[in-house]
Amino acid sequence: MAPREYGQYDGVTRALELVGERWAMLIVRDLLVGPRRNGELAAGLPRIPSNILAARLKELQAAGIIRRAPRSRIIIYELTPFGRELEPVVLALGAWGFKALGEPREEQIITPDAMTISLRTAFRPQVAATLPATAYAAHVGPAELLIRVDGPALDVSRGDGPADLAFAAGPGIRRLLSGELAPDRAIATGEVQVLRGPGALLDRFASTFHLAA
């Protein structure tokens, strides 16, 4: 099915014609983290029907937003330079949507790519620039991320690794990022579990990553 046309002539209309179809922006979100194979995209979006994923990929390719690229005998999808220009749009949408996030429903999950983009959205480089370089190993639901902050630079990768602080949290990490839950209280109530390292570093994490609710 061809993307819908709204019959209006302006930039917002054209943008929605290109990325306004269901699932399109979530595909873009995950590709902002890095190139992905078809199966990796499907795994990161477990509710997307295979035919819809195929249709969205085809449409995004036709729009010049993503491209197929061969890598070691496999095909991966990656954003084009035009597609990467959507990053500030995705981050702004994430910050806006965070205000209406509410409490998680039982069936809702946190994927590694979604959490990575959430951290990019919440990152405050001006604050981080005043703090010592710190590495965090965060286990948020099934997502395991190694978060390295060095001045105003942020690097987030999948997996565990050497870190100054390793912690585990559930979807309630939203309350920590919003400031609704103080770091010491988060540890005391068990909403955040310190796995290794000094728990006091959770204060630094909460200062470095913040989103207004």
Side-chain angles (χ1 to χ4, degrees):
M1 180 182 297
R4 71 186 67 190
E5 294 184 359
Y6 295 99
Q8 296 184 27
Y9 185 73
D10 79 307
V12 173
T13 300
R14 186 58 183 145
L16 289 175
E17 289 173 349
L18 294 176
V19 295
E21 293 294 323
R22 192 177 185 199
W23 298 104
M25 283 297 278
L26 294 184
I27 293 171
V28 170
R29 178 200 67 188
D30 288 3
L31 291 179
L32 281 168
V33 178
R36 296 285 181 263
R37 298 193 300 260
N38 185 292
E40 291 172 328
L41 286 169
L45 302 168
R47 290 196 176 188
I48 190 171
S50 57
N51 64 316
I52 297 298
L53 175 58
R56 291 296 92 84
L57 291 173
K58 184 177 180 180
E59 292 161 6
L60 291 170
Q61 280 181 257
I65 296 167
I66 68 173
R67 61 189 170 207
R68 285 161 50 103
R71 295 276 179 88
S72 301
R73 299 182 181 179
I74 61 171
I75 297 296
I76 59 113
Y77 292 91
E78 62 184 9
L79 292 169
T80 63
F82 179 52
R84 284 194 295 272
E85 291 179 15
L86 283 166
E87 180 166 3
V89 178
V90 172
L91 297 184
L93 274 174
W96 183 74
F98 186 84
K99 298 176 188 293
L101 202 53
E103 294 300 318
R105 297 190 300 274
E106 185 176 345
E107 73 278 8
Q108 290 182 312
I109 63 171
I110 298 175
T111 67
D113 288 346
M115 191 62 201
T116 297
I117 292 299
S118 292
L119 289 168
R120 287 189 194 174
T121 303
F123 183 54
R124 298 200 289 179
Q126 71 280 9
V127 173
T130 68
L131 299 171
T134 311
Y136 306 92
H139 302 248
V140 185
E144 294 186 3
L145 299 173
L146 185 59
I147 307 158
R148 299 184 184 92
V149 180
D150 189 355
L154 170 66
D155 179 73
V156 182
S157 58
R158 290 196 187 192
D160 204 341
D164 300 292
L165 173 67
F167 66 88
I173 195 173
R174 173 191 68 84
R175 299 178 64 221
L176 181 66
L177 294 176
S178 70
E180 295 174 43
L181 185 66
D184 58 347
R185 185 64 181 162
I187 294 172
T189 60
E191 290 199 50
V192 174
Q193 180 184 358
V194 175
L195 303 177
R196 60 182 185 273
L201 284 179
L202 195 63
D203 283 282
R204 187 180 299 174
F205 177 86
S207 296
T208 304
F209 299 92
H210 176 76
L211 279 169

